[in-house]
């Protein structure tokens, strides 16, 4: 595995790959890798000739008072995991490499952002689409891989690639879970033992609520979720049922929906979601 | 010359060029071509293997009440001129091709925009950087050519390419002028005969003012310009002396400056500028 930290180096490397006709899969991450990330690598490895992973904790997508400084980092462990998973090139730029000067333009996410996580994290998705525009321009990947756990991010990134015609296919990969159903997340390390035993309730309650939605509608589903979560020490940040990937309040004719929640524990805010269809469908496309 | 109007077609064509190792020069225009545009084509032709010109009157960069509807168009004549000038591929997408849906992200020019043309055209440069992001993503040019007449546009576009790391070199080409000094512009056709005889005063006054700046400073230079223009029927929209390409108010240590003006005639608003250095310099780089 090659480890490069400058855009100059990685662009040279990519130019060579392209000359050889190789296809490039890209897995952007903020590091502190877990099985979810490694599944993205494995998917990229089966689709593309070369897999490039970036590790960059992007200051632009953290608001004031959010956890930029204490976001977990462990580059030595990440290098080991990335290499084992089959990453060909690990791109680890520092902040000055991607933002060498105060940016004179920025990318704004103007749709799909005023609900779910976007509602309580103003500017967060602007930071996401700005850094991804930069990374797409540097790496020029054929395909880019994102975890479906960050469902709103996937929706926003599909909007980015579509609206600005970025020549990369956005591929979302199913959420990887612990045996008890808890979605894997870099932030899970901040749960206390007690919180860790409670946290799987989030996914269980989402599952039951999505079933209740089918028979009894939105209010009943949401009430059920709130009731289930009343037994845990975390506070519900949001619980919403929306169309996917448009993230609009659903009408009766909408069949592809997301139920998504965020729960705030003492040192970690966890998110999870289920995408489901209200009609019998065998295949899903969320492009 | 190939004429294509769909992104699908042009992307296929460009893929083939890249496979053959050909370099691509890009000349984005809004059509109604004049010698200025053709000079960009000629520069691209001498730098690159393939020259692609786009003709697209971008609704996003016109404000309410601006001249989007009556912006001059003559595609038959443009095709003839582009072919003669040596364009290899003419890209003529319609609005739905570049903006197939309401965009869910947009690009904002946050610096270099609150002066000169930007001050009286809020949102104009957001439209420019959004459409250029789309065109850069579709065409993936090695070099992109812009006329120095639109000096603020050049500054903003250099900011765009730099901030978002677009892999295209932004090349600015000197303003092409009529024999009497008037900068060539698609909008010159809207000048009355009387206005056409007056309009060259703009460039003459900018030249003299830039010389006066050297000896007597900013106020004297601007007063001179205003005095010279008092004889013409058009009204001064702005006259400013700024650093280039940062477009800040200059301090004594700044040596690379722009003097730029806009003058509003009855049916046409004309702009012009001179970039000059206050110290003896032999070479200029405005990257």
């Amino acid at each position: 595995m090659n480890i490069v930290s400058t855009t100059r180096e990685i662009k040279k490397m990519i130019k060579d790959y392209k000359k050889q006709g190789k296809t490039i899969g890209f897995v952007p991450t903020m590091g502190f890798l877990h099985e979810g990330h490694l599944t993205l690598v494995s998917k990229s490895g089966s689709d593309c000739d070369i897999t490039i992973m970036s590790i960059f904790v992007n200051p632009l997508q953290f608001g004031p008072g959010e956890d930029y400084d204490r976001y977990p980092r462990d580059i030595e462990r990440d290098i080991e995991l990335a290499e084992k998973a089959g990453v060909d090139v690990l791109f680890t730029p520092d902040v000055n490499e991607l933002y060498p000067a105060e940016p004179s333009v920025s990318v704004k996410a103007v749709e799909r952002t005023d609900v779910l996580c976007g509602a309580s994290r103003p500017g967060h998705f602007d930071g996401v689409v700005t850094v991804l525009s930069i990374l797409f321009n540097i790496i020029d990947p054929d395909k880019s891989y994102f975890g479906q756990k960050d469902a709103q991010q996937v929706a926003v990134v599909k909007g980015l690639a579509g609206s600005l015609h970025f020549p990369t296919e956005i591929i979302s990969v199913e959420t990887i879970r612990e045996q008890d159903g808890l979605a894997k997340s870099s932030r899970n390390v901040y749960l206390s033992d007690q919180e860790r035993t409670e946290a799987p309730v989030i996914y269980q309650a989402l599952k039951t609520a999505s079933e209740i939605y089918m028979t009894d509608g939105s209010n009943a589903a949401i009430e059920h979720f709130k009731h289930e979560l009343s037994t845990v020490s975390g506070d519900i940040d949001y619980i919403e049922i929306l169309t996917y990937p448009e993230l609009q309040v659903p009408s009766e004719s909408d069949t592809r929906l997301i139920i998504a929640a965020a729960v705030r524990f003492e040192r970690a805010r966890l998110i999870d979601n289920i995408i489901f269809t209200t009609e019998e469908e065998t295949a899903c496309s969320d492009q």
Side-chain angles (χ1 to χ4, degrees), chain A residues 57-63 68 99 103 106 123-124 126-128 130-131 134:
Chain A
V57 184
N58 174 33
L60 236 57
Q61 70 192 66
F62 290 81
Y68 174 67
Y99 307 119
S106 68
H124 167 68
D126 296 340
V128 171
T130 298
V131 79
I134 291 171

Side-chain angles (χ1 to χ4, degrees), chain A residues 6-18:
Chain A
T6 66
T7 55
R8 183 187 296 258
E9 262 180 296
I10 199 160
K11 285 173 99 159
K12 196 178 160 304
M13 211 171 256
I14 287 161
K15 207 172 167 182
D16 288 343
Y17 289 135
K18 300 244 168 193

Side-chain angles (χ1 to χ4, degrees), chain A residues 12-283:
Chain A
K12 196 178 160 304
M13 211 171 256
I14 287 161
K15 207 172 167 182
D16 288 343
Y17 289 135
K18 300 244 168 193
K19 264 196 193 146
Q20 298 163 36
K22 293 197 191 296
T23 56
I24 291 175
F26 176 42
V27 180
T29 81
M30 299 209 299
F32 212 73
L33 302 177
H34 55 68
E35 219 178 310
H37 300 111
L38 305 180
T39 308
L40 304 182
V41 172
S42 144
K43 185 85 176 69
S44 169
S46 66
D47 291 351
C48 304
D49 299 323
I50 298 291
T51 294
I52 299 179
M53 174 187 276
S54 64
I55 293 183
F56 180 66
V57 184
N58 174 33
L60 236 57
Q61 70 192 66
F62 290 81
E66 287 188 0
D67 57 354
Y68 174 67
D69 288 331
R70 65 176 191 84
Y71 191 85
R73 292 158 170 94
D74 188 343
I75 188 67
E76 294 308 320
R77 186 173 154 276
D78 285 348
I79 288 172
E80 208 173 296
L81 288 171
E83 176 140 38
K84 266 191 201 152
V87 168
D88 298 290
V89 184
L90 188 65
F91 182 45
T92 57
D94 70 13
V95 173
N96 289 329
E97 193 67 25
L98 298 195
Y99 307 119
E102 189 68 29
S104 72
V105 307
S106 68
V107 190
K108 300 273 175 202
V110 292
E111 293 286 343
R112 309 179 177 183
T113 57
D114 57 350
V115 291
L116 308 179
C117 290
S120 61
R121 302 186 72 185
H124 167 68
F125 286 111
D126 296 340
V128 171
V129 292
T130 298
V131 79
L132 283 175
S133 296
I134 291 171
L135 289 168
F136 289 161
N137 279 336
I138 292 171
I139 290 166
D140 192 16
D142 296 282
K143 296 170 195 272
S144 301
Y145 296 84
F146 296 85
Q148 193 60 50
K149 181 174 82 78
D150 299 312
Q152 185 172 18
Q153 175 170 277
V154 170
V156 169
V157 172
K158 286 190 174 185
L160 166 70
S163 298
L164 297 186
H165 298 242
F166 273 104
T168 186
E169 190 182 342
I170 305 303
I171 296 184
S172 61
V173 178
E174 215 181 319
T175 303
I176 301 299
R177 302 182 177 283
E178 305 289 351
Q179 283 210 326
D180 57 17
L182 176 64
K184 300 240 180 190
S185 164
S186 304
R187 291 181 171 105
N188 288 351
V189 295
Y190 291 123
L191 296 172
S192 69
D193 291 348
Q194 165 73 16
E195 288 172 342
R196 178 63 190 80
T197 62
E198 295 170 351
V201 172
I202 301 170
Y203 179 56
Q204 299 309 326
L206 286 174
K207 265 209 299 203
T208 323
S210 69
E211 286 153 18
I212 291 172
Y213 178 88
M214 303 290 205
T215 49
D216 301 333
S218 194
N219 288 347
I222 283 171
E223 280 317 306
H224 171 82
F225 182 88
K226 289 181 176 169
H227 179 74
E228 291 290 295
L229 267 287
S230 63
T231 60
V232 312
S233 52
D235 293 323
I236 296 171
D237 198 1
Y238 63 75
I239 166 72
E240 293 186 61
I241 298 173
L242 300 168
T243 61
Y244 196 82
E246 302 80 11
L247 306 183
Q248 303 288 323
V249 174
S251 68
E252 275 192 21
S253 62
D254 292 308
T255 57
R256 186 142 199 266
L257 305 176
I258 184 172
I259 179 165
V263 177
R264 198 178 294 277
F265 289 95
E266 195 174 343
R267 295 184 64 224
R269 177 176 166 284
L270 303 187
I271 61 174
D272 202 352
N273 69 80
I274 294 171
I275 292 167
F276 63 105
T277 51
T278 57
E279 284 177 351
E280 278 182 33
E281 281 188 28
T282 47

